[in-house]
Amino acid sequence: MSSVFRFKRFEVRNERSSMKVNTDGVLLGAAMELDAFDHRLLDVGTGTGTIALMAAQRLHDLGADCVIDAIDIDPASAEEAAENFSASPWPDMLRASHISLDGFAAACGDGFDLIFSNPPYFDDSLKNPDARKSTARHSLSLSYRELISFAADRLTPAGRLAMVLPSDCEQAMLRHARMFSLFPRRILRIRTVERKAPMRIIVELGRERSDCREELLTIHEKERYSEEYLSLTGDFYL
């Protein structure tokens, strides 16, 4: 079986990273809001680098002059992301580093226009016996709380934090964000089919209090992908 996942305009080597290409990450990469004036971006827990690559494609098409830093605590993941960036059409926009969020925080300064992450979130579930996968899946080394704290110190005045999370942590996450004066700008709730409740949210937080735009995405309709899902991901999936 091929270890390369092929998108329309780039390929992702999907072999050594502790977390593989997954639907949550692709949805975040396709749905989070980007701006042509975004200059400095950060992908926390990049894995294969897929979300950063999707952001690079979108920002290139917007004509943005930007740099996307992508960090991962797992050395093999950071190495594979770097290889995927180098092989992409946008190598000058992307930088991968093997470093923890704490380590990066000590050296990075502030002034990020967008910080994004598909963080681990299985706080209470049984841990995977594979230590690398456990680190990637469980919020032992990274949680939305740490991301919020980091973002509160380092976002520009108009900067945003975008994350994909389980729906059941929405209220606790929003309460925690308010403690750091970050407020919801947009919440996209994602359900697999119409009859089921949303299982994931994509949330975008910023410093300004404003009306939060709430949206709903259904992935499947009548045993096929929905038109809205195909429209959202159409620039990426083959």
Side-chain angles (χ1 to χ4, degrees):
M1 185 171 63
S2 174
S3 61
V4 175
F5 194 100
R6 291 178 172 82
F7 291 87
K8 280 185 175 177
R9 292 166 61 184
F10 61 89
E11 295 181 348
V12 172
R13 186 163 293 280
N14 195 37
E15 188 173 45
R16 304 188 306 279
S17 175
S18 56
M19 285 297 287
K20 308 304 182 186
V21 176
N22 60 77
T23 301
D24 287 358
V26 170
L27 284 170
L28 179 62
M32 63 183 180
E33 292 189 335
L34 298 174
D35 191 285
F37 295 102
D38 288 338
H39 177 68
R40 194 175 183 207
L41 298 89
L42 174 63
D43 178 10
V44 183
T46 192
T48 61
T50 300
I51 307 172
L53 283 159
M54 294 175 72
Q57 176 181 319
R58 293 175 60 195
L59 287 163
H60 176 268
D61 291 351
L62 289 172
D65 178 16
C66 68
V67 173
I68 304 171
D69 279 299
I71 64 173
D72 204 292
I73 198 171
D74 178 62
S77 298
E79 182 181 11
E80 191 160 63
E83 292 171 3
N84 288 330
F85 294 167
S86 179
S88 79
W90 316 283
D92 294 339
M93 296 173 65
L94 294 153
R95 302 187 299 207
S97 302
H98 167 224
I99 193 169
S100 68
L101 185 60
D102 286 344
F104 188 75
C108 72
D110 54 17
F112 288 96
D113 299 299
L114 177 64
I115 298 168
F116 55 91
S117 182
N118 175 15
Y121 42 68
F122 296 111
D123 290 290
D124 302 317
S125 63
L126 292 173
K127 295 177 178 57
N128 193 304
D130 183 317
R132 291 178 64 229
K133 290 184 178 179
S134 182
T135 298
R137 294 177 186 274
H138 296 265
S139 51
L140 302 173
S141 58
L142 177 68
S143 71
Y144 69 74
R145 299 172 188 85
E146 292 172 88
L147 288 163
I148 287 169
S149 175
F150 177 89
D153 289 337
R154 290 170 176 82
L155 287 174
T156 61
R160 298 95 65 207
L161 169 63
M163 300 178 287
V164 55
L165 296 166
S167 296
D168 60 10
C169 74
E170 177 179 334
Q171 295 306 314
M173 179 274 301
L174 292 176
R175 285 195 299 270
H176 192 78
R178 285 195 295 270
M179 293 170 54
F180 289 85
S181 298
L182 292 177
F183 307 97
R185 299 160 45 101
R186 176 179 175 231
I187 298 176
L188 172 63
R189 296 183 176 88
I190 301 162
R191 59 187 181 184
T192 53
V193 294
E194 286 185 357
R195 67 178 181 275
K196 292 187 177 181
M199 293 293 291
R200 296 284 185 271
I201 59 169
I202 289 174
V203 61
E204 299 178 22
L205 305 171
R207 298 190 186 279
E208 296 183 6
R209 289 180 182 267
S210 61
D211 291 337
C212 176
R213 192 165 87 247
E214 299 188 34
E215 303 170 6
L216 178 65
L217 172 68
T218 303
I219 296 177
H220 296 283
E221 289 180 353
K222 298 179 180 178
E223 300 183 355
R224 64 184 66 183
Y225 287 119
S226 69
E227 289 300 320
E228 56 186 340
Y229 177 79
L230 292 173
S231 176
L232 179 65
T233 60
D235 287 340
F236 303 100
Y237 281 141
L238 289 172

